Amino acid sequence: MIAPRRFLPSVPALQALEAVERLGSATAAAEELALTQSAVSRQLQTLEEQLGVPLLNRSRKRLALTSAGARYAAEIRGALQQIAQASLRLQTDMGGGAVNLAILPSFGMRWLVPRLPGFAKAHPDVTINMTTRLEQFNFAAQPFDAAITFGDGDWPGSQKLLLAREYVLPVARPALLAGHSLNRAEDLQRLPLLHIQTRPRAWVEWLAAHGVEAPHVTGTYYDQFTTIIQAVLHGLGVALLPDYLIGQELAEGRLVSAYGGPTESRGAYWLVWPEDKTDDPALCQFRNWLRDEVQGEDMLPR
């Protein structure tokens, strides 16, 4: 027995509480849940009575959660997501098991997805469920069997497989570079430099690799590679971009190197999984297939 029934409220009541906390009103929650506002209010009242804790501050104008209600809603949100994901996995499992994989958006779409038809052909009974995440994975709190991530390979309690090293190139629109004499790496600091939030020290490290000490590098920040690539294409500045993401733009001449050739990043791309998932049959098949994929690929510096 997991817990006494009084500590396991109905899912609709929990959904109503979570929606009110997230959306800020019972009206918005009712619209999202396809219920009437009075039905949402009844769900919340039943939940209060079952738990014996005030969850709502009621007034004539609006309904708001108490601090205890807000905390409770935030805690159950993850549990509701896990229930929904577990139900979806059960419905979509093709019989050979499933791998719930967290992926980085750009690397996942450009590197992994083009390879997946090969896995599907070799293992048609294994389902790969993918969720894009920019934040660092947390296997203890999130329902992932594995993650494809970028870093130095140091994740305690996890095992890993090296997938690819990353090489970055300072690129810009040709028109932005016209009239600028860029003979040394430090000359790039005269141009607007664009930063990616997941690599806040990328420019500092690149300049250091070219003999330039620059503890602080100013510029604008972008949250995803897709966004920063568009910014560079529109002439907003120079960005350090992984060469695998911009091969077509370089070949077409829409982007050019602002200085030098590709430089290896400090981190790399890895498949990471918790130690207690090492022997999971579906994950083993996926991991072994990935290992075969990367064997023989160019892992050496360019």
Side-chain angles (χ1 to χ4, degrees):
M1 184 174 180
I2 295 176
R5 188 174 182 277
R6 68 179 183 276
F7 295 131
L8 294 174
S10 70
V11 170
L14 296 177
Q15 285 180 303
L17 181 71
E18 187 278 332
V20 169
E21 193 277 334
R22 175 168 44 83
L23 299 174
S25 73
T27 302
E31 182 176 350
E32 178 177 276
L33 298 172
L35 299 171
T36 64
Q37 187 172 344
S38 60
V40 169
S41 297
R42 286 195 299 272
Q43 292 278 13
L44 297 177
Q45 183 177 357
T46 300
L47 186 59
E48 279 187 314
E49 292 172 354
Q50 182 176 0
L51 296 175
V53 177
L55 302 175
L56 306 169
N57 287 319
R58 295 175 175 84
S59 67
R60 291 184 178 180
K61 293 185 177 181
R62 64 188 301 269
L63 178 149
L65 299 187
T66 63
S67 58
R71 288 195 304 271
Y72 183 52
E75 289 186 58
I76 64 171
R77 180 171 294 119
L80 289 172
Q81 291 173 339
Q82 289 188 29
I83 292 171
Q85 291 175 357
S87 302
L88 179 62
R89 291 196 297 269
L90 180 64
Q91 293 174 340
T92 58
D93 188 349
M94 292 182 289
V99 177
N100 301 300
L101 183 68
I103 63 171
L104 296 170
S106 298
F107 186 79
M109 294 302 102
R110 296 288 188 96
W111 189 92
L112 177 64
V113 170
R115 290 169 162 81
L116 282 181
F119 179 80
K121 184 177 180 180
H123 304 281
D125 57 339
V126 177
T127 303
I128 305 296
N129 301 313
M130 290 181 289
T131 302
T132 58
R133 294 188 65 83
L134 291 174
E135 305 83 7
Q136 187 60 264
F137 58 85
N138 182 352
F139 291 131
Q142 298 160 344
F144 295 121
D145 301 313
I148 290 181
T149 192
F150 180 85
D152 59 7
D154 184 18
W155 296 284
S158 302
Q159 296 188 20
K160 61 188 182 293
L161 170 67
L162 177 63
L163 299 179
R165 302 192 187 280
E166 181 181 81
Y167 299 86
V168 294
L169 190 68
V171 295
R173 185 177 177 178
L176 180 72
L177 304 181
H180 291 278
S181 178
L182 303 174
N183 299 315
R184 301 172 301 172
E186 55 261 42
D187 293 338
L188 292 186
Q189 295 181 90
R190 301 198 303 265
L191 296 171
L193 301 183
L194 310 184
H195 303 254
I196 189 78
Q197 290 179 7
T198 54
R199 313 276 204 285
R201 291 186 54 80
W203 273 112
V204 172
E205 293 171 358
W206 183 88
L207 288 166
H210 289 79
V212 182
E213 293 298 324
H216 305 287
V217 180
T218 60
T220 55
Y221 280 80
Y222 297 81
D223 66 341
Q224 295 193 40
F225 280 121
T226 52
T227 310
I228 198 172
I229 289 173
Q230 288 303 309
V232 178
L233 286 169
H234 284 84
L236 294 180
V238 183
L240 278 174
L241 297 178
D243 57 4
Y244 76 88
L245 286 178
I246 52 172
Q248 182 175 349
E249 290 81 1
L250 290 171
E252 295 173 352
R254 291 187 291 156
L255 294 179
V256 296
S257 172
Y259 179 85
T263 301
E264 185 176 354
S265 297
R266 180 167 296 183
Y269 294 96
W270 306 81
L271 175 72
V272 185
W273 62 94
E275 292 179 345
D276 60 3
K277 289 281 186 178
T278 296
D279 296 325
D280 179 86
L283 179 57
C284 282
Q285 293 184 70
F286 181 63
R287 185 173 66 240
N288 292 337
W289 172 80
L290 273 178
R291 182 178 289 111
D292 291 340
E293 281 289 303
V294 300
Q295 280 182 350
E297 292 191 356
D298 180 17
M299 289 289 186
L300 299 176
R302 286 162 170 75

